[in-house]
Amino acid sequence: MSDTNPATGHALADARERDAADPLGEYREHFSVPDGERYMDGNSLGLASDTALATLERVVDEWRALAIRGWEAADPDWFHYGEHLGDLLAPLVGARESEVVVANSTTVNIHTLIGTFLDTLPGTPAGPDPTADPPAVLVNDLDFPTDHYAIRAQFRQRGLDPDEGLVAVESRDGRTIDEADIEAALRERDDVGIVFMPSVLYRSGQLLDVDRITAAAHEHGALAGFDCAHSVGAVDHALGDAGADGEGADFAVWCSYKYLNAGPGATAGLYVHERHHGTTPALAGWWGNDKSTQFDMRHTYDQADTAGAWQIGTVPMLSSAPIEGATELVREAGIERVREKSLALTDYLIDLVDDRLGDDFSVGTPREHARRGGHVAIEHPEGYRVSEALRDRDVVVDFRPPNVVRVCPAPLYTRYEDVWHVIETIQAIVESDAHREYEPRDGGVT
Ligand SMILES: *Cc1c(COP(=O)(O)O)cnc(C)c1O
C-alpha cells in the first residue's frame, strides 16, 4: 500500500519530491489557501477557488444587469439552474443527469426523501397498507446527528413512534460499522423498509461498501439510501450501478461545502434513481413542478418527471452559483484521479503517524483503500488539547469527541509537504508537552 522507502526515511525533501511529481499539483493555484496555514479542514468547509468565485460573481453581475430577466436571459438561465448543476454533478456520483439535482440543504433533503419513501411503505398512513406493522429505518450508532433528528421527525409526523422506527446498527469498536452487521440486522428483522447509511463516517473516515449495502437492502425488500456528505468530491461513486445486479441505489443526499468547495451553506445535492421518478415528494413545492407548467400557477401540483421534483422552493442562486465553478475543477481533474491523490495523501499521512508519533497515538481510520474516505482520524487521549495547540501553530484541524483529531488533506489543494508539516508539528507539541498548557475540554465549551 505504501511506497515509502525506509532508507530515505520521511524527510521533507521526500515530501517535496512527491509534490513535484503530483499530476494534480497545479490545482492548488486555483485556491485561496490561508497564508502560512496548513489547512486540514476541507471535509468541514472546503476552500474558495477562483473558478467558484468567478461563477458567483457572474451571477451577481447578472442580477445587477438583468434583474428579473435573469430567470430566462442569464446564461445558463436561473430557472433551470438546479437541474443544470445536477447535470454537472451526475458524473461525480455515477448517475444519470435526470437523477441528480441541486436543491435545499442536506438535512432538508433527508427530510423529504425519507418522508417520500416512508409514504410508499406498508404500515404508514399514506402507504399501501396503513394497518400493517410500521416499517423501520435502519441507521447506525456512529451517524452524523442531523440524520437521526430528521428521520425521527418524519416518523413523528406520520404518528409513528421514532423509538420503534429508528433502528441503529451498533459499532463493534466505536469507530467503524461492519457491513456484516447491517446484513445481520436485515436477516433478523423483517420490518426494515429503508436502509439509510453514510458513505463515509464523519468521525473515523471509514468508507462503507455502498454496493454491498445496496445489494443487502434489496435482497431483503428494503430501499437503500445514502448520506454522501463526506465523500462527494473526494470519492468516486457509482450510485446508479450499485447493488448485486447494477440496479442502483434508491436515493442519496450530500452537501456542496465540504469536498466540493462551494462555500459555507452552499445548496446541497440529491439523487433519486429513475425508477422512483413520479413518486410524490413528501415536501412538495412549486420548484419541483414540471418546469413547462410551473408558471401556469395552477393549484394542482404537476411534478417534474426527474429528480428535479424534490426541489421545494426557488433555487438560492447565490448559494448555488459557486457549485458551477467549483465542480469544474473536480471534473477537469477527473474524480478518479482526485480519489487516487486523496488515497496517496492519506497513505502518506498514516505512514508518518506510524513512524514518527509515539504509542499514545493511533489511527482510527481503516487502512484498506476500499474502506477509507478522504480524511484520517488520529486518536490520542489528549486529542482535544493537541488540536488546540495545532490551531495556535497555524495547523487547522478539528476535534471530534472523545479523542479524535480529524486531519483532512483535501486532494485539490493539499501538498505532501503540508502533511509532513502537520505531523512534524504534532510531534513537536507532544515532545515539548506544549498541549498541556491548554485547558482540558471538560470546561464544556465546544
Ligand atoms: C456535514 C453533514 C451534514 C450537514 O447537513 P446540513 O444540512 O448541510 O447542515 C449532514 N450529514 C452528514 C453525514 C454530514 O457530514
Side-chain angles (χ1 to χ4, degrees), residues 138 179-187 192 195 209-224 226 242-245 247:
L138 193 65
E179 286 86 353
D181 293 339
I182 299 172
E183 292 165 342
L186 282 161
R187 274 195 307 274
V192 177
V195 177
D209 189 337
V210 169
D211 240 10
R212 181 172 166 188
I213 295 167
T214 302
H218 289 171
E219 186 190 337
H220 292 275
L223 297 159
F226 294 91
D245 302 313
E247 70 276 16

Side-chain angles (χ1 to χ4, degrees), residues 103-433:
N104 316 315
S105 71
T106 301
T107 305
V108 169
N109 287 337
I110 297 170
H111 274 288
T112 187
L113 288 170
I114 292 287
T116 298
F117 290 108
L118 279 177
D119 285 344
T120 67
L121 298 172
T124 62
D129 179 6
T131 61
D133 288 339
V137 175
L138 193 65
V139 294
N140 74 76
D141 67 356
L142 300 176
D143 273 324
F144 194 87
T146 203
D147 299 48
H148 289 204
Y149 303 163
I151 296 168
R152 284 178 166 277
Q154 289 303 316
F155 275 108
R156 285 196 300 275
Q157 282 167 29
R158 284 161 183 75
L160 302 172
D161 181 356
D163 291 335
E164 294 288 325
L166 191 76
V167 175
V169 172
E170 280 175 28
S171 167
R172 299 183 193 192
D173 61 2
R175 299 181 180 91
T176 57
I177 296 296
D178 195 324
E179 286 86 353
D181 293 339
I182 299 172
E183 292 165 342
L186 282 161
R187 274 195 307 274
E188 283 156 21
R189 334 179 37 115
D190 57 6
D191 62 347
V192 177
I194 301 172
V195 177
F196 188 65
M197 292 287 159
S199 51
V200 169
L201 286 169
Y202 77 98
R203 190 164 43 206
S204 70
Q206 178 198 0
L207 173 65
L208 279 83
D209 189 337
V210 169
D211 240 10
R212 181 172 166 188
I213 295 167
T214 302
H218 289 171
E219 186 190 337
H220 292 275
L223 297 159
F226 294 91
D227 184 336
C228 299
H230 258 81
S231 61
V232 173
V235 175
D236 48 329
H237 280 298
L239 294 175
D241 298 324
D245 302 313
E247 70 276 16
D250 295 283
F251 65 98
V253 301
W254 59 87
C255 346
S256 308
Y257 51 81
K258 294 173 177 167
Y259 292 104
L260 286 176
N261 307 311
T267 315
L270 65 83
Y271 152 90
V272 178
H273 191 279
E274 67 179 5
R275 66 179 160 271
H276 300 301
H277 295 174
T279 302
T280 307
L283 307 185
W286 76 315
W287 221 259
N289 202 88
D290 187 295
K291 283 286 190 269
S292 64
T293 57
Q294 180 173 335
F295 272 90
D296 296 352
M297 305 302 256
R298 289 191 294 251
H299 281 164
T300 48
Y301 175 60
D302 172 19
Q303 77 178 76
D305 59 2
T306 62
W310 281 269
Q311 296 171 97
I312 301 173
T314 305
V315 56
M317 285 304 303
L318 301 181
S319 299
S320 304
I323 298 172
E324 186 185 336
T327 307
E328 202 180 296
L329 295 180
V330 187
R331 283 166 57 97
E332 191 189 291
I335 187 67
E336 287 83 12
R337 288 205 303 167
V338 169
R339 169 67 171 157
E340 238 171 72
K341 178 169 178 198
S342 166
L343 285 169
L345 281 165
T346 52
D347 274 346
Y348 180 60
L349 172 56
I350 291 170
D351 281 348
L352 289 178
V353 173
D354 287 346
D355 286 4
R356 298 196 45 188
L357 300 184
D359 292 344
D360 287 351
F361 285 92
S362 56
V363 172
T365 307
R367 287 166 187 255
E368 307 93 296
H369 284 180
R371 299 184 67 220
R372 193 194 312 159
H375 72 271
V376 174
I378 302 181
E379 299 177 359
H380 185 271
E382 295 286 1
Y384 175 71
R385 289 158 116 185
V386 172
S387 67
E388 290 290 288
L390 280 169
R391 279 177 175 252
D392 275 350
R393 286 158 181 78
D394 294 325
V395 175
V396 183
V397 295
D398 62 27
F399 172 77
R400 288 293 178 268
N403 62 347
V404 174
V405 182
R406 289 195 315 180
V407 182
C408 175
L412 285 177
Y413 49 79
T414 308
R415 298 170 303 190
Y416 293 88
E417 175 174 343
D418 299 312
V419 172
W420 185 88
H421 272 284
V422 171
I423 301 302
E424 173 87 354
T425 310
I426 296 178
Q427 191 178 18
I429 288 167
V430 291
E431 281 179 7
S432 64
D433 264 346

Side-chain angles (χ1 to χ4, degrees), residues 62-81:
E62 288 167 346
W63 176 23
R64 202 183 275 120
L66 301 171
I68 189 74
R69 288 180 295 274
W71 292 108
E72 287 179 354
D75 183 22
D77 69 82
W78 301 344
F79 189 43
H80 298 91
Y81 201 61

